[in-house]
Amino acid sequence: MLLSLASLATSCTEKERSSLLQFAAELSQDGGLTNSWENSTDCCRWEGITCSSDSRTVTDVFLASKSLQGHISASLGNLTGLVCLNLSHNSLYGDLPMELLSSKSIVILDVSFNLLNGDLQELEKSTLRPLQVLNISSNFFTGHFPSPTWKAMKSLIALNASNNSFIGQIPTVFCVSAPSFAVLELSYNQFSGRIPQELGNCSMLTSLNAGHNNLSGTLPDELFSITSMEHLSLHDNQLEGTLSGISRLKNLATLNLGGNMFSGNIPSAISELKKLVTIHLDHNSMSGELPSTLSNCTSLITIDFSSNNFSGGLTKVNFSNLPNLKTIDLMLNNFSGTIPESIYSCTNLTALRLSSNKFQGPLSERIGNLKSLAFLSLVDNSLTNITSALQTLSSCRNLTTLLIGKNFKNEAMPKDDAIDGFRNLRVLFLNDCSLSGKIPLWLSKLTNLEMLLLYNNELTGSIPDWINSLNFLFHINMYNNSLTGNFQQP
Ligand SMILES: *[C@@H]1O[C@H](CO)[C@@H](O)[C@H](O)[C@H]1NC(C)=O
Ligand SMILES: *[C@@H]1O[C@H](CO)[C@@H](O)[C@H](O)[C@H]1NC(C)=O
Ligand SMILES: *[C@@H]1O[C@H](CO)[C@@H](O)[C@H](O)[C@H]1NC(C)=O
Ligand SMILES: *[C@@H]1O[C@H](CO)[C@@H](O)[C@H](O)[C@H]1NC(C)=O
Ligand SMILES: *[C@@H]1O[C@H](CO)[C@@H](O)[C@H](O)[C@H]1NC(C)=O
Ligand SMILES: *[C@@H]1O[C@H](CO)[C@@H](O)[C@H](O)[C@H]1NC(C)=O
Ligand SMILES: *[C@@H]1O[C@H](CO)[C@@H](O)[C@H](O)[C@H]1NC(C)=O
Ligand SMILES: *[C@@H]1O[C@H](CO)[C@@H](O)[C@H](O)[C@H]1NC(C)=O
Ligand SMILES: *[C@@H]1O[C@H](CO)[C@@H](O)[C@H](O)[C@H]1NC(C)=O
Ligand SMILES: *[C@@H]1O[C@H](CO)[C@@H](O)[C@H](O)[C@H]1NC(C)=O
Ligand SMILES: *[C@@H]1O[C@H](CO)[C@@H](O)[C@H](O)[C@H]1NC(C)=O
Ligand SMILES: *[C@@H]1O[C@H](CO)[C@@H](O)[C@H](O)[C@H]1NC(C)=O
């Protein structure tokens, strides 16, 4: 009798057990869960279940990626000690039971990556709720974000509602009601209207992601008062205006405003953003020169200013002060002059894209310093001397993609003995250069080549047999030359 008392004392309560069994019973597919649960009467020993130290109350239900299908049972709301519920990455459908949102114990609720749908219901307002982290992202939720529901959630810290079909204004109610609110993730929805001024009340916000919605208008001044902000992402909306206030966000590490209609130049006060690691301003209508003060953002790893109307030379920017840079993308702008020498000090660069600008002159020998460079595109500029360019670039041993077409107009294809290297090259674009000469033998040493573009040149002679021995080559285009001969059929 003592033994059975002892085992009773350390077993989960009948109410906890039946609540969990009710949850399992309402699933249409349980991924073998109930089978494993049948092994023990003590639900504290069940797979995915954790109990409090007295071993009677369920505190944690972790059933992520268990191939569960069906409705989420409201019976989970009867687990009065449940703190953490994680059902992410399953195939659960139907609505999210309000018993879970209104729970007086749940602190962390993650139902992301399921097939849940419907509108979020309004809750009665009065009782306080301890919920701190709510992840309902990557489901099929619809409708407006109900404000009253969130007023009671005074402990909310992070809300992730990305990748659903929510509509209406960006919700800001928690900015006032939850003093520690820090993470707001709303990307990939259909939120519309302007970015509300009330967001300025979110004085602890570190992360705001509302990319890929239908937001319009200018950035409100109040946004720039949230000095705690570390990650700001509003890409792919219809936002406009200038970025004149951005330098006030002194803690910013990530800034992604790509795919909008922003105009004006990059303010010289950008230098205040000492912690900036990643900046994406691509696909906007920004113009002017890059300010020399950009060199003061010494933490930068990624710069993407592609598809704008920036102009002028780059020599004002001292890239030597940006030694952490790994990616620079300035494609489709109006930059001119020579490629600045200081860029060749960025020895951590793995990707450099300067295509479709007005850069001119021969490539500096110092580009050979970029030993980590794997991707280089200089397409559609006015560069000269292809022989010295290829000789220099052959010391960038990690290059796998080299796109330099639409340059070197009317020069001669470098001769057989001139070039050695490019052993790792997989993609080579040498199209649209009006190059004269023959298909050179040095190409035969590029045994990893997969794509080769030589079209719109003035190459003569015959197509060499060794082309057929480049075993990985699957795309070759020699259109519009004066070549003779043929390929073997594969
Ligand atoms: C439950 O018992 C079955 C059969 O005895 C066994 O195959 C399975 O591995 C057990 N599952 C767990 C989670 O202990
Ligand atoms: C929760 O528990 C109460 C009382 O124990 C019970 O009446 C009710 O049916 C349970 N709710 C669910 C959804 O299981
Ligand atoms: C839920 O589990 C998944 C998978 O292990 C994990 O990635 C995620 O961070 C968890 N959610 C929370 C809020 O901790
Ligand atoms: C859901 O979002 C929360 C809060 O942002 C996060 O902690 C959690 O890791 C996310 N879950 C998954 C599966 O990514
Ligand atoms: C929000 O959830 C998505 C998955 O849907 C995840 O990729 C993202 O990292 C989460 N955001 C945060 C801030 O945790
Ligand atoms: C959105 O959710 C769908 C379905 O879960 C998923 O396949 C997709 O990767 C998600 N997209 C993003 C951007 O997280
Ligand atoms: C780009 O800026 C120049 C002035 O620098 C201006 O003349 C031109 O219209 C602008 N182009 C676009 C597409 O905005
Ligand atoms: C660029 O910065 C480097 C490193 O701080 C410095 O040595 C060099 O003099 C600077 N160049 C110019 C033109 O200011
Ligand atoms: C490029 O800049 C020149 C002036 O330097 C300007 O005339 C031209 O319109 C600009 N081109 C584009 C596409 O904006
Ligand atoms: C070259 O690439 C290899 C494989 O990706 C990598 O391990 C190596 O660190 C790279 N070398 C340099 C100098 O970056
Ligand atoms: C190209 O550069 C090489 C040095 O690498 C030089 O010998 C040659 O004269 C240059 N060709 C032209 C046309 O300037
Ligand atoms: C063929 O290439 C030359 C440059 O070598 C170019 O000027 C011409 O427009 C091209 N013709 C066609 C039909 O593309």
Side-chain angles (χ1 to χ4, degrees):
M1 205 184 116
L2 274 176
L3 270 177
S4 69
L5 269 180
S7 86
L8 263 182
T10 58
S11 179
C12 78
T13 64
E14 181 53 33
K15 190 176 172 213
E16 305 279 284
R17 206 172 77 94
S18 66
S19 296
L20 286 171
L21 287 175
Q22 180 64 31
F23 163 74
E26 286 182 40
L27 298 173
S28 56
Q29 279 289 330
D30 71 2
L33 196 62
T34 25
N35 271 348
S36 82
W37 283 5
E38 275 163 3
N39 287 7
S40 167
T41 52
D42 180 5
C43 73
C44 290
R45 295 165 187 258
W46 289 354
E47 181 182 354
I49 308 299
T50 309
C51 289
S52 58
S53 51
D54 67 4
S55 298
R56 294 183 59 79
T57 316
V58 174
T59 57
D60 211 305
V61 174
F62 179 80
L63 296 171
S65 305
K66 291 285 182 212
S67 308
L68 308 180
Q69 287 178 25
H71 290 272
I72 301 178
S73 169
S75 67
L76 288 176
N78 270 355
L79 298 168
T80 52
L82 186 61
V83 175
C84 189
L85 174 60
N86 193 334
L87 299 172
S88 67
H89 289 281
N90 284 294
S91 302
L92 300 165
Y93 49 79
D95 57 10
L96 179 64
M98 282 303 119
E99 287 78 357
L100 299 182
L101 274 186
S102 66
S103 156
K104 294 193 181 66
S105 63
I106 295 179
V107 172
I108 296 174
L109 177 56
D110 190 343
V111 293
S112 62
F113 292 99
N114 278 289
L115 311 169
L116 299 169
N117 60 17
D119 293 9
L120 294 183
Q121 307 295 310
E122 296 274 344
L123 302 179
E124 15 72 62
K125 292 154 208 168
S126 51
T127 49
L128 293 186
R129 278 139 195 139
L131 194 65
Q132 291 179 6
V133 175
L134 176 62
N135 193 342
I136 54 173
S137 65
S138 294
N139 280 287
F140 299 103
F141 289 115
T142 49
H144 290 262
F145 234 76
S147 289
T149 302
W150 309 99
K151 282 210 179 111
M153 298 193 178
K154 298 206 183 307
S155 304
L156 201 64
I157 294 173
L159 170 65
N160 192 342
S162 67
N163 201 14
N164 282 286
S165 298
F166 288 114
I167 57 172
Q169 257 222 338
I170 286 191
T172 56
V173 54
F174 12 75
C175 294
V176 180
S177 55
S180 302
F181 191 68
V183 175
L184 181 56
E185 174 89 54
L186 302 172
S187 59
Y188 293 90
N189 278 288
Q190 282 124 51
F191 287 108
S192 57
R194 304 173 74 89
I195 295 181
Q197 297 173 358
E198 290 76 14
L199 212 54
N201 295 326
C202 269
S203 59
M204 303 293 274
L205 203 62
T206 58
S207 188
L208 171 63
N209 186 353
H212 221 284
N213 281 286
N214 297 321
L215 304 171
S216 54
T218 56
L219 300 181
D221 222 31
E222 289 78 3
L223 181 68
F224 301 125
S225 68
I226 313 174
T227 51
S228 52
M229 190 83 79
E230 293 168 21
H231 309 284
L232 177 61
S233 183
L234 300 169
H235 66 90
D236 298 303
N237 282 289
Q238 291 102 49
L239 298 165
E240 59 190 5
T242 68
L243 303 187
S244 51
I246 205 76
S247 59
R248 289 164 61 194
L249 299 178
K250 300 229 179 336
N251 286 302
L252 216 53
T254 314
L255 177 63
N256 187 348
L257 301 177
N260 282 289
M261 301 180 301
F262 288 109
S263 55
N265 51 19
I266 295 179
S268 57
I270 190 105
S271 55
E272 317 252 315
L273 305 184
K274 301 273 189 260
K275 298 180 182 169
L276 198 61
V277 172
T278 302
I279 181 167
H280 290 273
L281 300 177
D282 57 289
H283 297 86
N284 280 291
S285 302
M286 298 190 65
S287 56
E289 292 189 40
L290 298 189
S292 59
T293 51
L294 188 64
S295 332
N296 296 351
C297 304
T298 52
S299 307
L300 276 172
I301 292 179
T302 303
I303 290 179
D304 184 356
F305 296 155
S306 62
S307 289
N308 278 286
N309 191 11
F310 290 117
S311 60
L314 284 179
T315 41
K316 279 189 180 168
V317 182
N318 190 345
F319 288 92
S320 315
N321 292 330
L322 308 177
N324 302 314
L325 276 175
K326 286 189 170 168
T327 307
I328 302 176
D329 192 350
L330 304 179
M331 178 173 78
L332 278 166
N333 277 290
N334 211 346
F335 290 116
S336 55
T338 54
I339 300 168
E341 287 287 312
S342 64
I343 225 168
Y344 307 125
S345 313
C346 303
T347 51
N348 288 312
L349 266 188
T350 58
L352 176 60
R353 183 154 68 174
L354 303 176
S355 47
S356 297
N357 279 288
K358 299 196 170 70
F359 291 112
Q360 60 189 43
L363 267 191
S364 165
E365 278 183 15
R366 288 188 62 205
I367 200 169
N369 292 352
L370 302 180
K371 301 292 184 205
S372 301
L373 201 61
F375 178 100
L376 176 64
S377 175
L378 303 171
V379 168
D380 191 16
N381 280 286
S382 301
L383 301 172
T384 54
N385 203 337
I386 189 172
T387 301
S388 81
L390 287 176
Q391 276 170 346
T392 303
L393 286 169
S394 66
S395 55
C396 301
R397 305 226 176 267
N398 263 17
L399 263 185
T400 56
T401 303
L402 177 59
L403 317 179
I404 55 175
K406 290 201 179 188
N407 284 291
F408 314 111
K409 283 284 149 65
N410 298 307
E411 295 188 13
M413 177 64 92
K415 294 270 171 12
D416 289 351
D417 52 354
I419 311 295
D420 191 20
F422 298 118
R423 295 290 188 273
N424 292 315
L425 211 57
R426 296 207 290 258
V427 180
L428 177 61
F429 289 6
L430 276 176
N431 53 292
D432 288 285
C433 299
S434 302
L435 295 177
S436 59
K438 297 189 181 338
I439 294 180
L441 191 61
W442 58 264
L443 281 176
S444 70
K445 297 180 208 157
L446 314 191
T447 50
N448 290 305
L449 209 56
E450 295 168 15
M451 289 179 77
L452 175 62
L453 300 190
L454 293 172
Y455 63 87
N456 293 348
N457 283 300
E458 291 163 12
L459 300 174
T460 54
S462 58
I463 296 168
D465 282 345
W466 52 253
I467 287 277
N468 298 303
S469 63
L470 295 175
N471 288 329
F472 298 109
L473 195 62
F474 68 85
H475 183 94
I476 182 166
N477 190 339
M478 298 181 172
Y479 166 76
N480 190 19
N481 283 281
S482 303
L483 298 164
T484 59
N486 230 323
F487 299 103
Q488 268 168 25
Q489 294 300 317

